[in-house]
Amino acid sequence: MSLKEKINLVYIDDDRDEAISAYLEDAYRSAECDVEYREIEFEGEKGFESLLESQEVALANVILIDSRLFENDSIKCKGKFSGEEFRMILRKVYPFIEVLVISQNGENKEFDIIPKYRSGNSETSKQYYDRMLKSKIDESIKRVITFRNISKKLEDNKEIEKFLVEKTVSSLHGINDYEDLSKGDIDKLITAFQNIMEE
């Protein structure tokens, strides 16, 4: 029997939501892999850069982040922005981390935002997150595993420059070395990934 893949699931909030925390820590299970769960309490006075520099963020595979995390008055940065905007910034630094955004303001399909559970409805928080969140985490995990499988195939492909392969695999493991790549290098990698996916 082969060993299950390991996935690092991280929940980031400045004001921890007990229902989310309990669901992710105690109720959520993946059929695909072993999930290691961590929480990061965001400290606004340190600014969003503290998350980009965090080892726990770098090693995460799937992140759940509050949409309003960077909008309160304690945030130390120029201008306010949302969790979904941070998702784009994080994707530039760590392109293989899957980020899910959750909000107390309700669902927003345009920005792929998941609404938080509100007490007083007919479901328990576990039933609610099983319905609203579980499939999203499952899909994110499948994408991470797909990238891992492609990276293994990429490492065996002798036609791609070793330097490019090493950069890509490092990024998959939370090491950000993309700044050294030219646009041409990145285009070659994208073409290689597309060819592998088609196979």
Side-chain angles (χ1 to χ4, degrees), residues 3-14:
L3 291 171
K4 275 188 169 185
E5 296 265 0
K6 186 182 141 211
I7 292 288
N8 292 322
L9 172 63
V10 176
Y11 166 46
I12 304 173
D13 210 332
D14 59 340

PDB file of all heavy atoms in Angstrom, residues 3-14:
ATOM      1  N   LEU A   3       2.030   5.165   0.494  1.00  0.00           N
ATOM      2  CA  LEU A   3       1.789   6.167   1.527  1.00  0.00           C
ATOM      3  C   LEU A   3       0.926   7.284   0.963  1.00  0.00           C
ATOM      4  O   LEU A   3       1.065   7.672  -0.188  1.00  0.00           O
ATOM      5  CB  LEU A   3       3.118   6.746   2.016  1.00  0.00           C
ATOM      6  CG  LEU A   3       4.010   5.804   2.825  1.00  0.00           C
ATOM      7  CD1 LEU A   3       5.363   6.446   3.035  1.00  0.00           C
ATOM      8  CD2 LEU A   3       3.367   5.467   4.156  1.00  0.00           C
ATOM      9  N   LYS A   4       0.053   7.816   1.830  1.00  0.00           N
ATOM     10  CA  LYS A   4      -0.798   8.932   1.401  1.00  0.00           C
ATOM     11  C   LYS A   4       0.026  10.206   1.287  1.00  0.00           C
ATOM     12  O   LYS A   4       0.992  10.400   2.020  1.00  0.00           O
ATOM     13  CB  LYS A   4      -1.918   9.146   2.424  1.00  0.00           C
ATOM     14  CG  LYS A   4      -3.139   8.277   2.215  1.00  0.00           C
ATOM     15  CD  LYS A   4      -4.231   8.742   3.163  1.00  0.00           C
ATOM     16  CE  LYS A   4      -5.550   8.092   2.830  1.00  0.00           C
ATOM     17  NZ  LYS A   4      -6.629   8.634   3.665  1.00  0.00           N
ATOM     18  N   GLU A   5      -0.390  11.066   0.367  1.00  0.00           N
ATOM     19  CA  GLU A   5       0.226  12.390   0.239  1.00  0.00           C
ATOM     20  C   GLU A   5      -0.053  13.185   1.515  1.00  0.00           C
ATOM     21  O   GLU A   5      -1.077  12.998   2.172  1.00  0.00           O
ATOM     22  CB  GLU A   5      -0.398  13.139  -0.943  1.00  0.00           C
ATOM     23  CG  GLU A   5      -0.153  12.500  -2.278  1.00  0.00           C
ATOM     24  CD  GLU A   5       1.042  13.098  -2.991  1.00  0.00           C
ATOM     25  OE1 GLU A   5       1.684  14.006  -2.441  1.00  0.00           O
ATOM     26  OE2 GLU A   5       1.315  12.636  -4.102  1.00  0.00           O
ATOM     27  N   LYS A   6       0.858  14.116   1.826  1.00  0.00           N
ATOM     28  CA  LYS A   6       0.648  15.004   2.980  1.00  0.00           C
ATOM     29  C   LYS A   6       0.329  16.408   2.470  1.00  0.00           C
ATOM     30  O   LYS A   6       1.009  16.917   1.574  1.00  0.00           O
ATOM     31  CB  LYS A   6       1.890  15.032   3.856  1.00  0.00           C
ATOM     32  CG  LYS A   6       1.681  15.810   5.144  1.00  0.00           C
ATOM     33  CD  LYS A   6       2.944  15.859   5.979  1.00  0.00           C
ATOM     34  CE  LYS A   6       3.065  17.228   6.602  1.00  0.00           C
ATOM     35  NZ  LYS A   6       4.382  17.700   6.829  1.00  0.00           N
ATOM     36  N   ILE A   7      -0.706  17.005   3.017  1.00  0.00           N
ATOM     37  CA  ILE A   7      -1.121  18.354   2.633  1.00  0.00           C
ATOM     38  C   ILE A   7      -1.119  19.249   3.862  1.00  0.00           C
ATOM     39  O   ILE A   7      -1.640  18.875   4.920  1.00  0.00           O
ATOM     40  CB  ILE A   7      -2.547  18.334   2.011  1.00  0.00           C
ATOM     41  CG1 ILE A   7      -2.544  17.618   0.662  1.00  0.00           C
ATOM     42  CG2 ILE A   7      -3.117  19.743   1.883  1.00  0.00           C
ATOM     43  CD1 ILE A   7      -1.890  18.370  -0.478  1.00  0.00           C
ATOM     44  N   ASN A   8      -0.528  20.430   3.731  1.00  0.00           N
ATOM     45  CA  ASN A   8      -0.550  21.432   4.801  1.00  0.00           C
ATOM     46  C   ASN A   8      -1.698  22.401   4.556  1.00  0.00           C
ATOM     47  O   ASN A   8      -1.703  23.131   3.557  1.00  0.00           O
ATOM     48  CB  ASN A   8       0.773  22.197   4.854  1.00  0.00           C
ATOM     49  CG  ASN A   8       1.923  21.314   5.294  1.00  0.00           C
ATOM     50  OD1 ASN A   8       1.764  20.461   6.165  1.00  0.00           O
ATOM     51  ND2 ASN A   8       3.077  21.488   4.684  1.00  0.00           N
ATOM     52  N   LEU A   9      -2.675  22.385   5.450  1.00  0.00           N
ATOM     53  CA  LEU A   9      -3.845  23.258   5.381  1.00  0.00           C
ATOM     54  C   LEU A   9      -3.693  24.330   6.451  1.00  0.00           C
ATOM     55  O   LEU A   9      -3.505  24.016   7.628  1.00  0.00           O
ATOM     56  CB  LEU A   9      -5.115  22.428   5.614  1.00  0.00           C
ATOM     57  CG  LEU A   9      -6.445  23.175   5.759  1.00  0.00           C
ATOM     58  CD1 LEU A   9      -6.803  23.931   4.483  1.00  0.00           C
ATOM     59  CD2 LEU A   9      -7.559  22.195   6.125  1.00  0.00           C
ATOM     60  N   VAL A  10      -3.762  25.601   6.050  1.00  0.00           N
ATOM     61  CA  VAL A  10      -3.528  26.717   6.980  1.00  0.00           C
ATOM     62  C   VAL A  10      -4.712  27.685   6.947  1.00  0.00           C
ATOM     63  O   VAL A  10      -5.170  28.086   5.870  1.00  0.00           O
ATOM     64  CB  VAL A  10      -2.221  27.468   6.605  1.00  0.00           C
ATOM     65  CG1 VAL A  10      -2.030  28.687   7.504  1.00  0.00           C
ATOM     66  CG2 VAL A  10      -1.016  26.544   6.719  1.00  0.00           C
ATOM     67  N   TYR A  11      -5.202  28.032   8.124  1.00  0.00           N
ATOM     68  CA  TYR A  11      -6.276  29.019   8.266  1.00  0.00           C
ATOM     69  C   TYR A  11      -5.661  30.296   8.840  1.00  0.00           C
ATOM     70  O   TYR A  11      -5.008  30.271   9.881  1.00  0.00           O
ATOM     71  CB  TYR A  11      -7.367  28.459   9.179  1.00  0.00           C
ATOM     72  CG  TYR A  11      -8.387  29.455   9.687  1.00  0.00           C
ATOM     73  CD1 TYR A  11      -8.987  30.387   8.833  1.00  0.00           C
ATOM     74  CD2 TYR A  11      -8.768  29.455  11.025  1.00  0.00           C
ATOM     75  CE1 TYR A  11      -9.926  31.288   9.312  1.00  0.00           C
ATOM     76  CE2 TYR A  11      -9.718  30.343  11.513  1.00  0.00           C
ATOM     77  CZ  TYR A  11     -10.293  31.264  10.647  1.00  0.00           C
ATOM     78  OH  TYR A  11     -11.223  32.161  11.122  1.00  0.00           O
ATOM     79  N   ILE A  12      -5.872  31.427   8.137  1.00  0.00           N
ATOM     80  CA  ILE A  12      -5.306  32.719   8.563  1.00  0.00           C
ATOM     81  C   ILE A  12      -6.440  33.685   8.889  1.00  0.00           C
ATOM     82  O   ILE A  12      -7.323  33.924   8.053  1.00  0.00           O
ATOM     83  CB  ILE A  12      -4.420  33.343   7.465  1.00  0.00           C
ATOM     84  CG1 ILE A  12      -3.303  32.376   7.048  1.00  0.00           C
ATOM     85  CG2 ILE A  12      -3.819  34.662   7.952  1.00  0.00           C
ATOM     86  CD1 ILE A  12      -2.494  32.853   5.844  1.00  0.00           C
ATOM     87  N   ASP A  13      -6.407  34.239  10.101  1.00  0.00           N
ATOM     88  CA  ASP A  13      -7.419  35.223  10.502  1.00  0.00           C
ATOM     89  C   ASP A  13      -6.835  36.079  11.610  1.00  0.00           C
ATOM     90  O   ASP A  13      -5.937  35.637  12.334  1.00  0.00           O
ATOM     91  CB  ASP A  13      -8.683  34.509  10.989  1.00  0.00           C
ATOM     92  CG  ASP A  13      -9.953  35.319  10.743  1.00  0.00           C
ATOM     93  OD1 ASP A  13      -9.874  36.562  10.708  1.00  0.00           O
ATOM     94  OD2 ASP A  13     -11.024  34.711  10.591  1.00  0.00           O
ATOM     95  N   ASP A  14      -7.329  37.302  11.743  1.00  0.00           N
ATOM     96  CA  ASP A  14      -6.886  38.141  12.855  1.00  0.00           C
ATOM     97  C   ASP A  14      -7.795  37.934  14.061  1.00  0.00           C
ATOM     98  O   ASP A  14      -7.436  38.250  15.188  1.00  0.00           O
ATOM     99  CB  ASP A  14      -6.841  39.617  12.463  1.00  0.00           C
ATOM    100  CG  ASP A  14      -8.190  40.146  12.008  1.00  0.00           C
ATOM    101  OD1 ASP A  14      -9.054  39.331  11.626  1.00  0.00           O
ATOM    102  OD2 ASP A  14      -8.379  41.379  12.015  1.00  0.00           O
TER     103      ASP A  14
END
